[in-house]
Amino acid sequence: MARQMVAVIGDGVCDRATAAVAEEVGRRLAEAGVTVVCGGLGGVMEAACRGAKAAGGRTVGILPGDRASDANPYVDIPIVTGMGEARNVLVVKSADAAIAVGGRYGTLSEIALALKLGKPVVGIRSWQLATAAGPDTGVIPAETAAEAVALALAMTGT
Amino acid sequence: MARQMVAVIGDGVCDRATAAVAEEVGRRLAEAGVTVVCGGLGGVMEAACRGAKAAGGRTVGILPGDRASDANPYVDIPIVTGMGEARNVLVVKSADAAIAVGGRYGTLSEIALALKLGKPVVGIRSWQLATAAGPDTGVIPAETAAEAVALALAMTGT
Amino acid sequence: MARQMVAVIGDGVCDRATAAVAEEVGRRLAEAGVTVVCGGLGGVMEAACRGAKAAGGRTVGILPGDRASDANPYVDIPIVTGMGEARNVLVVKSADAAIAVGGRYGTLSEIALALKLGKPVVGIRSWQLATAAGPDTGVIPAETAAEAVALALAMTGT
Amino acid sequence: MARQMVAVIGDGVCDRATAAVAEEVGRRLAEAGVTVVCGGLGGVMEAACRGAKAAGGRTVGILPGDRASDANPYVDIPIVTGMGEARNVLVVKSADAAIAVGGRYGTLSEIALALKLGKPVVGIRSWQLATAAGPDTGVIPAETAAEAVALALAMTGT
């Protein structure tokens, strides 16, 4: 339980409204005693880490590049992979659930990997998926940060 | 040019109609002198490799597990990664374009990674993507194997 | 500085004397305010984490398998890679220096990778390397845990 | 059998004598019908691929960077990983045996990983290993390319 981690995934550049949502997600996770894990860079990742640190929480950034200094200033534990986009798999594998805030193709890859691994994924203004057979219901939609965190924690048994 | 590779991505288990499409994709790529790269396992991957070999082509399978013997019998070059789903990134990075035939979440992760890397992605009865802003036009739809291969080759300048 | 990490590397199974050395290494790193990063499993890794936790420190385990529960009980932050031995690279990349305690081939691979990356490596009863041209001086030998930690910290500017 | 692969490992920059040995290793492997797999860059890797192609063989280069064009001109199949040094693991996992020609720390990491995985490793003027307990006999020494290839093939049952 003390080890529980939730991934916050989203784009490395984002507008102010998106950042505010991500920051609240990070804060609420920290308040629940959950470690925030993310890709360690800017945008949604930085906002989530900032929120978590403001609430006294713990943050892990799994970085694509070769330098710990690439991490945003709110990352406590920078994991340096030098693996580029392949690090997305590690973000998802290390988490008990994922919350996507907006996001572009990198986020979509993390959503897909989390769903493949059978992990709960909650999306706030994020991807909507469909196949030839109809809409895919893998991503659980949430309207607010509070709702997203509540859903993610409920599904991981916290 | 001799080195050109196109990824054929799709599920490790598939119905007969899907396999027939994948096999024709593999055959047509081989006829165009293009190497087929895939995840090396069954279903769509095996069908694409079988088609390529029937046309005298070359096939590469980038495997998630630790054993070359996991590769389907139509893989010429098994690359053993032991990296699980993280090997999806290598399939996409090694290819000049990707053709998705059907597919589930693993395929979706490869589609997303290819789009993030700016590589052309053609989809046959595959994922349909949308964001809060509307439909995403990253995946180019094709109805047939012939159309998919023609589109992929056109976009990679062959 | 708060982010400084030192890798403790060694075998997943070890005798009592080796474990005692690793435990002291972990304790002394924690006392210096340095996070211990390791492969997250048993033997030297577990002993180092136990020592670090006894001194109130922080521990990161970068795991080869697919389950956070593979981590030894003294790991605070389990990073789940599912990448097998390729995770050794991440242990080394995430650290500012490495201390090898004994060790077999897996440890040797981490020593080699750390030296390739230009990171300081201190060895206690660990590998001795030579090429056709003579002894290789990359690994700095230490007799005790205290000496090893002092050398590693000196070389990373703490 | 048709799928058999032997890794040729060594430095990306090497002197003429070392390159001549690597080239002969590549040629002899190709003459035995074995695919050469390597890290895809220059030096020993390029010489081995050149030798293999001169004998009509097949070559695979598992690249650390993000571009197929990083491969030396004698690589038939460039595998693009973008994983940096972590790609060394894939070179070794994809091979049935490894032949080290000279080499520095990167090569040492590949030797160590191959030994950890229980794969035969033959070394020509390469690393000499010892632990506190005495010399390590994992790397089988060879004086010439002919001897190295014969040893590697004998140990993989070709």
Side-chain angles (χ1 to χ4, degrees), chain A residues 2-3 5 35 37 58 60 62 65-66 68-69 71-83 89-91 93-94, chain C residues 2-3 5 35 37 58 60 62 65-66 68-69 71-83 89-90 93-94:
Chain A
R3 278 178 178 176
M5 292 208 270
T35 297
V37 59
R58 191 163 61 183
V60 176
I62 303 183
D66 273 323
S69 59
N72 72 62
Y74 308 102
V75 168
D76 292 325
I77 317 267
I79 304 296
V80 181
T81 73
M83 289 171 55
V89 181
L90 279 57
V91 172
K93 287 202 171 178
S94 296
Chain C
R3 279 178 178 177
M5 293 208 270
T35 297
V37 59
R58 191 164 61 184
V60 177
I62 302 182
D66 272 323
S69 59
N72 72 61
Y74 308 101
V75 168
D76 292 325
I77 316 266
I79 304 295
V80 180
T81 72
M83 289 171 54
V89 180
L90 278 57
K93 287 202 170 176
S94 296

Side-chain angles (χ1 to χ4, degrees), chain A residues 33-44:
Chain A
V34 172
T35 297
V36 169
V37 59
C38 68
L41 300 179
V44 162

